[in-house]
């Protein structure tokens, strides 16, 4: 090898060691299910910017929001299969595979941020193991504001829900709606306005965020603050894709993810009051639920928790034991 060529090779190699940046720049496509202005999407977009900065451009994350690359129910599978290295989805969508994933959507188990945080601390190690078996690793999870009830008239008791065409977003909510006597249908967030205007649904349970973002006042009049549960979105990575990253890049991603989780929980809390106010400003009637309604809904919650414990087995027990400690 002539000297000059040898130096060039050495030089390139040296550059790779001291500055992987630029040389090994990677771009990750990342599908997310919710529209751009959703606070979760805003938080993830900040996460992507922070990863870029923390890795000096070695890892760029390109978001595909609103289910544009993969439909919501396909996102977890796409990350598992390695079609994309990372993605966001509603954690309790995985309940059908393993009930432990759905702890946060159990009605009235954890209904405020403090309890939701304790539940996440209890759930995280358990689902980390379950995700690991699927070749996935959780990066961070962020809750939606407590879930409330949207209807076209005042709901005073569970009986008032009977027969209502009800929008659901996972199997747990579908079961809850069925047990109240309502008739549930699955509808993704971007399709909510159309589902109401075409009459496919006439009531729903979701956060003040999703209600306000989808202009609930255009098709319902009452928001009943039942604070039924605090479900989370999770961001996961494909482990093989993660392992391919330079060690320093891996560390930067994990640190940035921890920051995104903290920021997301704060954003969620701020969102709650802000979005209820928007519902109110747009003419919706904010209702404090009657004791009778709450007693009826909580009774259904107890029945569901009983079933969930059976379905979730040891994993569920591990979560509840840690949560109730
Ligand atoms: N918004 C999402 C999930 C929970 C929430 O508050 C939805 O309605 O589908």
């Amino acid at each position: 090898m002539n000297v000059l060529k040898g130096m060039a090779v050495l030089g390139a190699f040296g550059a790779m060691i001291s500055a992987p940046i630029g040389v090994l720049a990677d771009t990750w496509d990342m599908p997310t299910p919710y529209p751009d202005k959703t606070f979760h999407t805003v938080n993830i977009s900040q996460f992507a910017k922070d990863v870029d900065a923390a890795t000096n451009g070695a890892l760029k994350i390109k978001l595909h929001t609103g289910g544009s690359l993969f439909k919501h129910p396909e996102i977890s599978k796409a990350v598992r299969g390695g079609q994309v290295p990372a993605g966001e989805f509603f954690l309790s969508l995985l309940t059908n595979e393993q009930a432990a994933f759905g702890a946060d959507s159990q009605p009235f188990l954890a209904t405020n941020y403090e309890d939701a945080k304790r539940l996440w601390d209890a759930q995280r190690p358990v689902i980390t193991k379950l995700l690991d078996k699927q070749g996935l690793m959780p990066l961070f999870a962020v809750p939606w504001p407590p879930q409330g009830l949207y209807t076209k008239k005042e709901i005073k008791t569970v009986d008032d829900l009977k027969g209502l065409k009800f929008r659901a977003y996972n199997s747990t909510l579908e079961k809850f709606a069925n047990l109240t006597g309502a008739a549930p249908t699955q509808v993704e967030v971007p399709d909510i306005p159309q589902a109401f205007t075409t009459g496919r649904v006439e009531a729903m349970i979701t956060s003040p965020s999703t209600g306000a973002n989808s202009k609930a006042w255009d098709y319902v009049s009452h928001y009943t603050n039942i604070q039924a549960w605090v479900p989370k979105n999770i961001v996961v990575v494909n482990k093989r894709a993660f392992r391919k990253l330079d060690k320093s890049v891996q560390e930067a991603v994990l640190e940035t993810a921890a920051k995104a989780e903290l920021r997301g929980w704060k954003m969620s809390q701020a969102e709650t009051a802000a979005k209820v106010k928007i519902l109110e400003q747009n003419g919706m009637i904010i209702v404090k639920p009657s004791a009778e309604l709450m007693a009826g809904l909580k009774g259904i919650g107890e029945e569901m928790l009983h079933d969930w414990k059976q379905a979730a087995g040891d994993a569920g027990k591990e979560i509840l034991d840690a949560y109730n400690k």
Side-chain angles (χ1 to χ4, degrees):
M1 192 189 287
N2 78 40
V3 177
L4 225 65
K5 207 170 163 196
M7 276 175 66
V9 169
L10 253 180
F13 191 61
M16 266 174 69
I17 293 170
S18 59
I21 319 331
V23 181
L24 296 175
D26 238 321
T27 299
W28 276 11
D29 285 303
M30 176 171 171
T32 76
Y34 302 103
D36 287 359
K37 64 177 179 174
T38 310
F39 77 94
H40 287 282
T41 316
V42 172
N43 188 38
I44 289 177
S45 172
Q46 186 62 49
F47 166 71
K49 282 190 199 121
D50 291 349
V51 165
D52 190 343
T55 64
N56 289 317
L59 179 60
K60 305 221 178 264
I61 297 177
K62 187 172 186 317
L63 296 185
H64 301 268
T65 58
S68 56
L69 186 60
F70 287 98
K71 294 258 165 263
H72 194 180
E74 304 304 320
I75 293 178
S76 61
K77 294 177 198 112
V79 185
R80 223 178 282 164
Q83 284 118 296
V84 283
E88 179 203 27
F89 54 87
F90 194 53
L91 175 58
S92 54
L93 282 189
L94 301 188
T95 303
N96 297 343
E97 298 170 10
Q98 233 298 344
F101 287 118
D104 64 16
S105 289
Q106 292 312 304
F108 305 105
L109 178 58
T111 62
N112 57 52
Y113 284 98
E114 210 180 298
D115 288 351
K117 177 66 173 64
R118 279 195 305 118
L119 185 59
W120 177 222
D121 289 344
Q123 189 190 21
R124 183 175 211 144
V126 176
I127 66 154
T128 299
K129 278 183 260 169
L130 294 173
L131 290 171
D132 188 74
K133 287 189 195 136
Q134 307 184 345
L136 298 175
M137 184 175 84
L139 282 186
F140 59 93
V142 172
W144 291 90
Q147 305 289 293
L149 176 63
Y150 294 75
T151 53
K152 291 173 189 278
K153 56 177 179 110
E154 192 176 343
I155 301 296
K156 294 197 187 107
T157 71
V158 171
D159 271 353
D160 294 337
L161 295 169
K162 236 175 217 118
L164 289 185
K165 285 184 269 174
F166 211 94
R167 183 237 164 189
Y169 52 57
N170 66 12
S171 59
T172 312
L173 176 51
E174 195 173 314
K175 180 170 178 184
F176 188 68
N178 270 322
L179 289 170
T180 67
T185 309
Q186 296 286 335
V187 177
E188 288 295 331
V189 166
D191 306 326
I192 291 175
Q194 208 205 4
F196 274 96
T197 51
T198 58
R200 256 182 84 209
V201 298
E202 53 192 343
M204 65 179 171
I205 286 179
T206 187
S207 58
S209 297
T210 298
N213 288 352
S214 42
K215 297 192 170 22
W217 49 86
D218 284 346
Y219 37 81
V220 289
S221 51
H222 289 68
Y223 175 73
T224 309
N225 195 8
I226 57 173
Q227 304 210 1
W229 55 91
V230 182
K232 296 180 296 287
N233 288 356
I234 193 163
V235 171
V236 300
V237 285
N238 177 293
K239 283 198 303 172
R240 256 176 300 128
F242 188 76
R243 268 193 244 111
K244 279 191 203 144
L245 299 173
D246 192 90
K247 261 268 168 307
S248 64
V249 174
Q250 290 182 3
E251 276 160 23
V253 170
L254 294 179
E255 274 169 30
T256 310
K259 282 186 199 143
E261 178 158 307
L262 275 179
R263 182 177 60 235
W265 282 69
K266 285 196 193 123
M267 287 170 89
S268 181
Q269 271 166 287
E271 181 89 359
T272 309
K275 290 293 159 80
V276 170
K277 203 163 160 201
I278 289 179
L279 296 175
E280 203 169 9
Q281 280 166 352
N282 283 280
M284 286 194 65
I285 301 161
I286 312 299
V287 185
K288 186 172 173 281
S290 72
E292 203 183 340
L293 175 63
M294 287 309 280
L297 294 177
K298 284 184 176 168
I300 294 171
E302 273 166 35
E303 184 184 338
M304 287 180 63
L305 189 60
H306 174 82
D307 293 351
W308 181 81
K309 282 182 192 163
Q310 313 263 289
D314 289 345
K317 187 172 178 326
E318 201 179 327
I319 294 172
L320 289 184
D321 285 350
Y323 177 60
N324 292 323
K325 207 160 63 194

